[in-house]
Coordinates of all heavy atoms in Angstrom, one line a residue:
T4 N 20.5 156.9 83.0 CA 19.4 157.6 83.0 C 19.2 158.4 84.4 O 18.9 159.7 84.4 CB 18.1 156.8 83.0 OG1 18.2 156.1 81.9 CG2 16.8 157.5 83.0
L5 N 19.7 157.9 85.5 CA 19.6 158.7 86.7 C 20.6 159.8 86.7 O 20.3 161.0 87.2 CB 19.8 157.8 87.9 CG 18.7 156.8 88.3 CD1 19.1 155.9 89.5 CD2 17.5 157.6 88.8
Q6 N 21.8 159.6 86.1 CA 22.8 160.6 86.1 C 22.4 161.7 85.1 O 22.5 162.9 85.5 CB 24.1 160.1 85.6 CG 24.8 159.2 86.6 CD 26.1 158.7 86.0 OE1 26.3 158.4 84.8 NE2 27.0 158.3 86.9
Q7 N 21.6 161.5 84.1 CA 21.2 162.3 83.2 C 20.0 163.3 83.9 O 20.0 164.5 83.8 CB 20.6 161.8 81.8 CG 21.6 161.3 81.0 CD 21.0 160.7 79.9 OE1 20.0 160.1 79.8 NE2 21.8 160.6 78.8
Y8 N 19.2 162.6 84.6 CA 18.1 163.2 85.3 C 18.7 164.1 86.5 O 18.3 165.3 86.6 CB 17.2 162.3 86.0 CG 16.2 163.0 86.9 CD1 15.0 163.5 86.4 CD2 16.3 162.9 88.3 CE1 14.2 164.1 87.2 CE2 15.5 163.5 89.2 CZ 14.3 164.2 88.5 OH 13.4 164.7 89.5
D9 N 19.8 163.6 87.2 CA 20.4 164.5 88.2 C 21.0 165.7 87.6 O 20.9 166.8 88.1 CB 21.4 163.5 88.9 CG 22.1 164.2 90.2 OD1 21.3 164.9 90.9 OD2 23.3 164.4 90.2
R10 N 21.8 165.6 86.4 CA 22.4 166.6 85.6 C 21.3 167.7 85.3 O 21.5 169.0 85.5 CB 23.2 166.3 84.5 CG 24.6 166.0 84.8 CD 25.4 165.7 83.7 NE 25.7 164.3 83.8 CZ 25.4 163.4 82.7 NH1 25.1 163.9 81.7 NH2 25.6 162.2 82.9
A11 N 20.2 167.3 84.8 CA 19.2 168.0 84.2 C 18.6 168.8 85.4 O 18.2 170.0 85.4 CB 18.2 167.2 83.4
H12 N 18.2 168.0 86.4 CA 17.8 168.7 87.7 C 18.6 169.8 88.4 O 18.2 170.9 88.6 CB 17.5 167.6 88.8 CG 16.9 168.2 90.1 ND1 15.6 168.6 90.1 CD2 17.4 168.4 91.3 CE1 15.3 169.0 91.4 NE2 16.4 168.9 92.1
K13 N 19.9 169.5 88.4 CA 20.9 170.6 88.9 C 20.9 171.9 87.9 O 21.0 172.8 88.4 CB 22.2 169.9 89.0 CG 22.3 168.9 90.2 CD 23.7 168.3 90.3 CE 23.9 167.3 91.5 NZ 25.0 166.7 91.5
Q14 N 21.0 171.6 86.7 CA 20.9 172.6 85.8 C 19.6 173.5 85.9 O 19.8 174.8 85.8 CB 21.1 172.1 84.2 CG 21.2 173.3 83.3 CD 22.4 174.1 83.4 OE1 23.5 173.7 83.5 NE2 22.2 175.4 83.4
W15 N 18.5 172.9 86.0 CA 17.3 173.5 86.2 C 17.4 174.4 87.5 O 16.8 175.5 87.5 CB 16.1 172.6 86.3 CG 14.7 173.2 86.4 CD1 13.9 173.7 85.5 CD2 14.1 173.3 87.8 NE1 12.9 174.3 86.1 CE2 12.8 174.0 87.3 CE3 14.4 173.0 89.0 CZ2 12.0 174.4 88.4 CZ3 13.5 173.4 90.0 CH2 12.1 174.1 89.7
L16 N 17.9 173.8 88.6 CA 18.0 174.7 89.8 C 18.8 175.8 89.7 O 18.6 176.8 90.1 CB 18.5 173.7 90.9 CG 17.5 172.8 91.6 CD1 18.2 171.9 92.6 CD2 16.4 173.6 92.2
A17 N 20.0 175.6 88.9 CA 20.8 176.8 88.6 C 20.2 177.8 87.7 O 20.4 179.0 88.1 CB 22.1 176.3 87.9
D18 N 19.4 177.4 86.7 CA 18.7 178.3 85.9 C 17.7 179.0 86.6 O 17.4 180.3 86.5 CB 18.1 177.6 84.7 CG 19.2 177.0 83.7 OD1 20.3 177.5 83.8 OD2 18.8 176.2 82.9
T19 N 17.0 178.3 87.5 CA 15.8 178.9 88.3 C 16.4 180.0 89.3 O 15.8 181.1 89.3 CB 15.1 177.8 88.9 OG1 14.5 176.8 88.0 CG2 14.0 178.4 89.9
S20 N 17.4 179.6 90.0 CA 18.0 180.5 90.8 C 18.4 181.8 90.2 O 18.4 183.0 90.7 CB 19.2 180.0 91.7 OG 20.3 179.7 90.9
H21 N 19.1 181.6 88.9 CA 19.5 182.9 88.1 C 18.2 183.8 87.8 O 18.3 185.0 87.8 CB 20.2 182.5 86.8 CG 20.6 183.6 85.9 ND1 21.4 184.4 86.2 CD2 19.8 183.9 84.7 CE1 21.4 185.2 85.1 NE2 20.5 184.9 84.3
E22 N 17.1 183.0 87.4 CA 16.0 183.9 87.0 C 15.4 184.4 88.1 O 14.8 185.6 87.8 CB 15.0 182.7 86.3 CG 15.3 182.3 84.9 CD 15.6 183.4 84.0 OE1 14.9 184.4 83.9 OE2 16.6 183.4 83.2
L23 N 15.5 184.0 89.3 CA 14.9 184.6 90.4 C 15.8 185.7 90.9 O 15.3 186.8 91.5 CB 14.7 183.7 91.6 CG 13.6 182.8 91.5 CD1 13.6 181.6 92.7 CD2 12.3 183.4 91.4
R24 N 17.1 185.7 90.7 CA 18.0 186.6 91.1 C 17.8 188.0 90.3 O 18.0 189.2 90.8 CB 19.5 186.2 91.0 CG 20.0 185.5 92.0 CD 21.5 185.3 92.0 NE 22.0 184.0 92.6 CZ 22.4 183.0 92.0 NH1 22.6 182.9 90.7 NH2 22.7 181.9 92.6
T25 N 17.6 187.8 89.1 CA 17.4 189.0 88.2 C 16.3 190.0 88.7 O 16.7 191.2 88.9 CB 17.1 188.6 86.7 OG1 18.2 187.7 86.3 CG2 16.9 189.8 85.9
P26 N 15.0 189.5 88.9 CA 14.1 190.6 89.3 C 14.5 191.1 90.8 O 14.1 192.3 91.1 CB 12.8 189.9 89.4 CG 13.0 188.5 89.4 CD 14.4 188.2 88.6
V27 N 14.9 190.3 91.7 CA 15.4 190.6 93.0 C 16.5 191.8 92.8 O 16.4 192.8 93.6 CB 16.0 189.6 93.9 CG1 16.5 190.0 95.1 CG2 14.7 188.7 94.2
A28 N 17.5 191.7 91.9 CA 18.6 192.6 91.8 C 18.0 193.9 91.2 O 18.4 195.0 91.7 CB 19.6 192.0 90.7
V29 N 17.0 194.0 90.3 CA 16.3 195.0 89.8 C 15.7 195.8 91.0 O 15.8 197.0 91.1 CB 15.4 194.7 88.6 CG1 14.5 196.0 88.3 CG2 16.2 194.2 87.5
L30 N 14.9 195.1 91.7 CA 14.2 195.6 92.8 C 15.1 196.4 93.8 O 15.0 197.4 94.3 CB 13.3 194.6 93.7 CG 12.1 194.1 92.9 CD1 11.5 193.0 93.6 CD2 11.1 195.3 92.9
W31 N 16.2 195.5 94.1 CA 17.2 196.0 95.0 C 17.8 197.4 94.7 O 17.9 198.4 95.3 CB 18.2 195.0 95.2 CG 19.2 195.1 96.4 CD1 19.6 196.3 96.9 CD2 19.9 194.2 97.0 NE1 20.6 196.1 98.0 CE2 20.7 194.8 98.1 CE3 19.9 192.8 97.1 CZ2 21.5 194.0 98.9 CZ3 20.5 192.0 97.9 CH2 21.4 192.6 98.9
A32 N 18.3 197.3 93.3 CA 18.9 198.6 92.9 C 18.0 199.7 92.7 O 18.3 200.8 93.1 CB 19.5 198.2 91.3
Q33 N 16.7 199.5 92.4 CA 15.7 200.6 92.3 C 15.4 201.1 93.7 O 15.4 202.4 93.8 CB 14.4 200.0 91.6 CG 14.5 199.8 90.3 CD 14.6 201.0 89.3 OE1 14.0 202.0 89.7 NE2 15.3 200.8 88.2
I34 N 15.3 200.3 94.6 CA 15.0 200.7 96.0 C 16.2 201.5 96.6 O 16.0 202.5 97.2 CB 14.6 199.5 96.9 CG1 13.2 199.1 96.5 CG2 14.6 200.0 98.4 CD1 12.8 197.7 97.1
E35 N 17.4 201.1 96.3 CA 18.5 201.7 96.8 C 18.6 203.1 96.2 O 19.0 204.1 96.8 CB 19.9 200.9 96.6 CG 20.0 199.9 97.6 CD 21.4 199.0 97.4 OE1 22.1 199.3 96.5 OE2 21.7 198.3 98.3
A36 N 18.4 203.1 94.9 CA 18.4 204.5 94.3 C 17.3 205.4 94.8 O 17.6 206.6 94.9 CB 18.2 204.3 92.7
L37 N 16.2 204.9 95.1 CA 15.2 205.8 95.8 C 15.7 206.2 97.0 O 15.5 207.3 97.5 CB 13.8 205.0 95.9 CG 13.0 204.6 94.6 CD1 11.9 203.8 94.8 CD2 12.6 206.1 94.0
Q38 N 16.2 205.3 98.0 CA 16.6 205.5 99.2 C 17.9 206.5 99.3 O 17.9 207.4 100.1 CB 17.1 204.3 100.0 CG 16.0 203.4 100.4 CD 16.5 202.1 101.0 OE1 17.5 201.5 100.6 NE2 15.7 201.5 101.9
D39 N 18.8 206.4 98.2 CA 19.9 207.3 98.2 C 19.7 208.7 97.5 O 20.4 209.5 97.4 CB 21.1 206.7 97.5 CG 21.6 205.4 98.3 OD1 21.4 205.2 99.4 OD2 22.2 204.6 97.6
G40 N 18.4 208.9 97.0 CA 18.0 210.0 96.4 C 18.5 210.2 95.0 O 18.4 211.3 94.4
I41 N 19.0 209.2 94.4 CA 19.5 209.1 93.1 C 18.4 209.1 92.1 O 18.3 209.8 91.0 CB 20.4 208.0 92.8 CG1 21.7 208.0 93.6 CG2 20.7 207.8 91.3 CD1 22.5 206.6 93.7
Q42 N 17.2 208.5 92.5 CA 16.1 208.5 91.6 C 14.8 208.9 92.6 O 14.7 208.5 93.7 CB 15.8 207.0 91.3 CG 14.6 206.9 90.2 CD 14.5 205.6 89.6 OE1 15.4 204.8 89.6 NE2 13.3 205.2 89.3
E43 N 14.0 209.6 92.0 CA 12.8 210.2 92.6 C 11.7 209.2 92.6 O 11.5 208.5 91.6 CB 12.4 211.5 92.1 CG 11.3 212.3 92.7 CD 10.9 213.5 92.1 OE1 11.8 214.2 91.4 OE2 9.8 214.0 92.1
A44 N 10.9 209.1 93.6 CA 9.7 208.1 93.7 C 8.7 208.8 92.9 O 7.8 209.6 93.4 CB 9.4 207.9 95.1
T45 N 8.5 208.5 91.5 CA 7.6 208.9 90.8 C 6.6 207.8 90.5 O 6.9 206.6 90.6 CB 8.3 209.4 89.5 OG1 8.8 208.3 88.8 CG2 9.3 210.6 89.7
P46 N 5.4 208.1 89.8 CA 4.6 207.1 89.4 C 5.3 206.1 88.5 O 5.0 204.8 88.6 CB 3.3 207.7 88.8 CG 3.4 209.2 89.4 CD 4.8 209.3 89.6
A47 N 6.1 206.6 87.6 CA 6.8 205.7 86.6 C 7.8 204.7 87.4 O 7.9 203.5 87.0 CB 7.6 206.5 85.6
S48 N 8.6 205.3 88.3 CA 9.5 204.4 89.1 C 8.9 203.5 89.9 O 9.2 202.3 90.0 CB 10.6 205.4 89.9 OG 9.9 206.1 90.9
L49 N 7.8 203.9 90.6 CA 6.9 203.0 91.3 C 6.3 201.9 90.5 O 6.2 200.7 91.0 CB 6.0 203.7 92.2 CG 6.6 204.6 93.2 CD1 5.5 205.4 94.0 CD2 7.4 203.8 94.3
S50 N 6.0 202.2 89.3 CA 5.3 201.3 88.3 C 6.4 200.2 88.1 O 6.0 199.0 87.9 CB 4.9 202.0 87.1 OG 4.4 201.0 86.3
V51 N 7.7 200.6 87.8 CA 8.7 199.5 87.5 C 8.8 198.6 88.7 O 9.0 197.5 88.5 CB 10.0 200.3 87.2 CG1 11.1 199.3 87.2 CG2 9.9 201.1 85.9
L52 N 8.9 199.2 89.9 CA 8.9 198.3 91.1 C 7.7 197.3 91.2 O 7.9 196.1 91.5 CB 9.1 199.1 92.4 CG 10.4 200.1 92.5 CD1 10.2 200.9 93.6 CD2 11.5 199.1 92.6
H53 N 6.6 197.9 91.0 CA 5.5 197.1 91.1 C 5.4 195.9 90.0 O 5.1 194.9 90.3 CB 4.2 197.9 90.8 CG 2.8 197.3 91.0 ND1 2.1 197.0 90.0 CD2 2.3 196.9 92.2 CE1 1.1 196.3 90.4 NE2 1.1 196.2 91.6
K54 N 5.9 196.2 88.9 CA 5.9 195.2 87.7 C 6.9 194.2 88.1 O 6.7 193.0 87.8 CB 6.1 195.9 86.4 CG 6.1 195.0 85.1 CD 4.7 194.6 85.0 CE 4.5 193.8 83.8 NZ 3.2 193.1 83.7
E55 N 8.1 194.6 88.6 CA 9.0 193.6 89.0 C 8.5 192.6 90.1 O 8.9 191.4 90.1 CB 10.4 194.3 89.4 CG 11.2 194.9 88.3 CD 11.5 193.8 87.2 OE1 11.9 192.6 87.5 OE2 11.4 194.1 86.1
V56 N 7.9 193.1 91.1 CA 7.3 192.3 92.2 C 6.2 191.4 91.5 O 6.1 190.2 91.9 CB 6.7 193.2 93.2 CG1 5.7 192.5 94.2 CG2 7.8 194.0 94.0
Q57 N 5.5 191.9 90.5 CA 4.5 191.0 90.0 C 5.2 189.9 89.2 O 4.8 188.7 89.2 CB 3.6 191.8 88.9 CG 2.6 192.7 89.6 CD 1.8 193.5 88.5 OE1 2.4 194.0 87.6 NE2 0.6 193.6 88.7
N58 N 6.3 190.3 88.6 CA 7.1 189.2 87.9 C 7.7 188.2 88.8 O 7.7 187.1 88.5 CB 8.2 189.9 87.0 CG 7.7 190.7 85.8 OD1 6.6 190.5 85.4 ND2 8.6 191.5 85.3
L59 N 8.1 188.7 89.9 CA 8.7 187.7 90.8 C 7.6 186.8 91.4 O 7.9 185.6 91.5 CB 9.4 188.5 92.1 CG 10.2 187.8 93.0 CD1 11.2 186.9 92.3 CD2 10.9 188.8 94.0
A60 N 6.4 187.4 91.7 CA 5.4 186.5 92.3 C 4.9 185.5 91.1 O 4.6 184.4 91.6 CB 4.3 187.5 92.6
K61 N 4.9 185.9 89.9 CA 4.5 185.0 88.9 C 5.5 183.8 88.8 O 5.2 182.7 88.6 CB 4.5 185.8 87.5 CG 4.4 184.8 86.3 CD 2.9 184.6 86.0 CE 2.6 183.9 84.6 NZ 2.7 182.5 84.8
M62 N 6.8 184.1 88.9 CA 7.9 183.1 89.0 C 7.7 182.0 90.1 O 7.8 181.0 90.0 CB 9.3 183.6 88.8 CG 9.7 184.0 87.5 SD 11.5 184.5 87.6 CE 11.5 186.2 87.5
I63 N 7.4 182.7 91.2 CA 7.1 181.9 92.4 C 5.9 181.0 92.1 O 6.0 179.8 92.5 CB 7.0 182.7 93.6 CG1 8.5 183.4 94.0 CG2 6.6 181.9 94.9 CD1 8.5 184.3 95.0
D64 N 4.8 181.6 91.7 CA 3.6 180.8 91.4 C 4.0 179.6 90.4 O 3.5 178.4 90.4 CB 2.6 181.6 90.8 CG 1.9 182.5 91.9 OD1 2.1 182.3 93.0 OD2 1.3 183.4 91.5
D65 N 4.7 179.9 89.3 CA 5.2 179.0 88.3 C 6.0 177.9 89.0 O 5.8 176.6 88.7 CB 6.0 179.5 87.3 CG 5.2 180.4 86.2 OD1 3.7 180.4 86.5 OD2 5.6 181.2 85.5
L66 N 6.7 178.1 90.0 CA 7.6 177.2 90.7 C 6.7 176.3 91.5 O 6.9 175.0 91.6 CB 8.7 177.7 91.5 CG 9.9 178.3 90.8 CD1 10.8 179.1 91.7 CD2 10.7 177.3 90.3
H67 N 5.8 176.9 92.0 CA 4.9 176.1 92.9 C 4.0 175.2 92.0 O 3.8 174.1 92.4 CB 4.0 177.0 93.5 CG 2.8 176.3 94.5 ND1 1.5 176.3 94.2 CD2 3.1 175.7 95.7 CE1 1.0 175.6 95.2 NE2 1.8 175.2 96.0
D68 N 3.6 175.6 90.9 CA 2.9 174.8 89.9 C 3.8 173.6 89.5 O 3.3 172.4 89.3 CB 2.4 175.6 88.7 CG 1.3 176.5 89.1 OD1 0.6 176.2 90.0 OD2 1.0 177.4 88.1
L69 N 5.0 173.8 89.3 CA 6.0 172.8 88.8 C 6.1 171.8 89.9 O 6.0 170.5 89.6 CB 7.4 173.2 88.4 CG 7.4 174.0 87.1 CD1 8.8 174.8 86.9 CD2 7.1 173.0 85.9
A70 N 6.2 172.2 91.2 CA 6.3 171.4 92.4 C 4.9 170.4 92.3 O 5.0 169.2 92.6 CB 6.5 172.0 93.7
R71 N 3.9 171.1 92.2 CA 2.6 170.4 92.2 C 2.5 169.3 91.0 O 2.0 168.2 91.2 CB 1.4 171.3 92.1 CG 1.1 172.1 93.3 CD 0.0 173.1 93.1 NE -1.2 172.4 92.8 CZ -2.1 172.9 92.0 NH1 -2.0 174.3 91.5 NH2 -3.2 172.3 91.7
Y72 N 3.0 169.7 89.9 CA 3.2 168.8 88.8 C 4.0 167.6 88.9 O 3.6 166.5 88.8 CB 3.7 169.4 87.5 CG 4.0 168.6 86.3 CD1 2.9 168.2 85.5 CD2 5.2 168.0 86.1 CE1 3.1 167.3 84.6 CE2 5.4 167.2 85.0 CZ 4.4 166.9 84.2 OH 4.5 165.8 83.2
D73 N 5.2 167.8 89.8 CA 6.0 166.6 90.0 C 5.3 165.6 91.0 O 5.6 164.4 90.9 CB 7.3 167.3 90.8 CG 8.3 167.8 89.7 OD1 8.1 167.6 88.6 OD2 9.2 168.5 90.2
V74 N 4.5 166.1 91.9 CA 3.7 165.2 92.7 C 2.4 164.7 92.2 O 1.7 164.1 93.0 CB 3.6 165.7 94.3 CG1 5.0 166.0 94.8 CG2 2.7 167.0 94.3
G75 N 2.1 165.1 91.1 CA 0.9 164.7 90.3 C -0.3 165.3 90.7 O -1.6 164.8 90.8
D76 N -0.2 166.6 91.3 CA -1.4 167.4 91.9 C -1.6 168.7 90.9 O -1.9 169.8 91.6 CB -1.0 167.8 93.3 CG -2.2 168.5 94.0 OD1 -3.4 168.1 93.7 OD2 -2.0 169.4 94.8
L77 N -1.5 168.6 89.7 CA -1.8 169.8 88.8 C -2.6 169.3 87.7 O -2.2 168.4 87.0 CB -0.4 170.3 88.5 CG -0.5 171.5 87.6 CD1 -1.2 172.8 88.4 CD2 0.8 171.9 87.0
E78 N -3.7 170.1 87.4 CA -4.5 169.9 86.3 C -4.2 171.0 85.3 O -4.0 172.2 85.7 CB -5.9 169.9 86.6 CG -6.5 168.7 87.4 CD -7.9 168.6 87.8 OE1 -8.6 169.3 87.1 OE2 -8.2 168.1 88.7
F79 N -4.1 170.7 84.1 CA -3.8 171.7 83.0 C -5.1 172.4 82.5 O -6.1 171.8 82.3 CB -3.1 171.2 81.8 CG -1.7 170.7 82.2 CD1 -1.3 169.4 82.4 CD2 -0.7 171.7 82.3 CE1 -0.1 168.9 82.7 CE2 0.7 171.3 82.6 CZ 1.0 169.9 82.9
N80 N -4.9 173.7 82.2 CA -6.1 174.4 81.6 C -5.5 175.2 80.5 O -5.0 176.3 80.7 CB -6.7 175.3 82.7 CG -7.9 176.2 82.1 OD1 -8.3 175.8 81.1 ND2 -8.4 177.2 82.9
L81 N -5.3 174.5 79.3 CA -4.7 175.2 78.3 C -5.6 176.3 77.6 O -6.8 175.9 77.4 CB -4.3 174.2 77.2 CG -3.2 173.1 77.8 CD1 -2.9 172.2 76.7 CD2 -1.9 173.8 78.3
R82 N -5.1 177.3 77.3 CA -5.9 178.4 76.5 C -4.9 179.3 75.7 O -3.8 179.3 75.9 CB -6.5 179.3 77.5 CG -5.8 180.1 78.5 CD -6.6 180.8 79.4 NE -5.8 181.8 80.1 CZ -5.2 181.6 81.3 NH1 -5.2 180.4 81.8 NH2 -4.5 182.5 81.8
P83 N -5.3 179.8 74.6 CA -4.5 180.6 73.7 C -4.0 181.8 74.3 O -4.7 182.4 75.3 CB -5.5 180.9 72.5 CG -6.8 180.5 72.9 CD -6.8 179.6 74.1
C84 N -3.0 182.4 74.0 CA -2.5 183.7 74.5 C -2.0 184.6 73.5 O -1.7 184.0 72.4 CB -1.5 183.5 75.6 SG 0.1 182.9 75.1
N85 N -1.9 185.9 73.7 CA -1.5 186.8 72.7 C 0.1 187.0 73.0 O 0.5 187.8 73.8 CB -2.2 188.1 72.9 CG -1.8 189.1 71.8 OD1 -0.6 189.0 71.2 ND2 -2.6 190.1 71.5
A86 N 0.9 186.1 72.2 CA 2.4 186.2 72.4 C 2.9 187.6 72.3 O 3.8 188.1 72.9 CB 3.1 185.2 71.7
G87 N 2.3 188.3 71.2 CA 2.9 189.7 70.8 C 2.7 190.6 72.0 O 3.6 191.4 72.3
K88 N 1.5 190.6 72.6 CA 1.2 191.5 73.7 C 2.2 191.1 74.8 O 2.7 192.0 75.6 CB -0.3 191.3 74.1 CG -0.6 192.3 75.3 CD -2.1 191.9 75.6 CE -2.4 192.9 76.9 NZ -3.7 192.4 77.6
A89 N 2.3 190.0 75.2 CA 3.2 189.5 76.4 C 4.6 190.0 76.1 O 5.3 190.5 77.0 CB 3.1 187.9 76.5
L90 N 5.1 189.7 74.9 CA 6.5 190.3 74.6 C 6.6 191.7 74.6 O 7.6 192.3 75.2 CB 6.9 189.8 73.1 CG 8.2 190.1 72.7 CD1 9.3 189.5 73.6 CD2 8.4 189.6 71.3
S91 N 5.7 192.5 74.2 CA 5.7 193.9 74.3 C 5.7 194.4 75.8 O 6.3 195.4 76.1 CB 4.3 194.5 73.7 OG 4.4 194.3 72.3
E92 N 4.8 193.7 76.6 CA 4.9 194.1 78.0 C 6.4 193.8 78.7 O 6.8 194.6 79.4 CB 3.9 193.3 78.8 CG 2.4 193.7 78.5 CD 1.4 192.8 79.1 OE1 1.7 191.8 79.9 OE2 0.2 193.1 78.9
V93 N 6.9 192.7 78.3 CA 8.3 192.5 78.8 C 9.3 193.5 78.2 O 10.1 194.1 78.9 CB 8.8 191.0 78.5 CG1 10.1 190.8 78.9 CG2 7.9 190.0 79.1
L94 N 9.3 193.8 76.9 CA 10.1 194.7 76.4 C 9.9 196.1 76.9 O 10.9 196.9 77.1 CB 9.9 194.8 74.9 CG 10.4 193.5 74.1 CD1 10.1 193.6 72.6 CD2 11.9 193.4 74.2
A95 N 8.7 196.5 77.2 CA 8.5 197.7 77.9 C 9.2 198.1 79.3 O 9.5 199.1 79.6 CB 7.0 198.0 78.1
L96 N 9.6 197.0 79.9 CA 10.1 196.9 81.2 C 11.6 197.4 81.0 O 12.3 198.0 81.9 CB 10.1 195.7 82.0 CG 8.8 195.3 82.5 CD1 8.9 193.9 83.1 CD2 8.3 196.2 83.6
Y97 N 12.1 197.0 80.0 CA 13.6 197.3 79.6 C 13.8 198.4 78.6 O 14.8 198.8 78.2 CB 14.2 196.0 79.2 CG 14.1 194.9 80.2 CD1 13.1 194.0 80.2 CD2 14.9 195.0 81.3 CE1 12.9 193.0 81.1 CE2 14.8 194.0 82.3 CZ 13.7 193.0 82.2 OH 13.5 192.2 83.2

């Protein structure tokens, strides 16, 4: 059981680091494109950067919540959400 937990924990860490690298890579590439003059700083391009920062902040908040859950310091507040709207927002980024 401990070995399974250890493997699952390591996999979770690997998955989490991958998920954090993705928005950072997008931000990095967009900022370099702006700095190099490849892309112009338009409201649309700045909106993409803003949304990626929001996504990154959300992931960090989620990680904090998971850490709080692990130590028993998290209360759940379940509520319905509009999955179609959430998916549309994510798809609009790409």
Side-chain angles (χ1 to χ4, degrees):
T4 300
L5 287 175
Q6 286 177 338
Q7 287 175 336
Y8 174 78
D9 187 50
R10 269 186 256 127
H12 181 72
K13 287 177 182 176
Q14 184 62 51
W15 181 82
L16 284 174
D18 293 345
T19 301
S20 67
H21 172 75
E22 291 301 319
L23 288 171
R24 276 190 209 116
T25 302
V27 169
V29 170
L30 286 169
W31 193 330
Q33 291 286 332
I34 290 169
E35 284 185 345
L37 291 169
Q38 288 174 327
D39 294 343
I41 297 169
Q42 184 172 336
E43 187 178 329
T45 64
S48 64
L49 294 175
S50 178
V51 169
L52 292 174
H53 185 255
K54 189 65 175 172
E55 286 301 320
V56 169
Q57 286 178 320
N58 289 341
L59 190 54
K61 172 87 171 85
M62 279 191 255
I63 291 167
D64 288 344
D65 289 347
L66 285 172
H67 183 252
D68 288 343
L69 286 172
R71 288 180 55 211
Y72 174 79
D73 281 347
V74 296
D76 185 36
L77 181 68
E78 293 181 22
F79 290 100
N80 181 13
L81 301 177
R82 62 183 191 272
C84 71
N85 184 336
K88 180 181 176 194
L90 182 59
S91 293
E92 289 173 0
V93 170
L94 290 175
L96 291 173
Y97 301 98

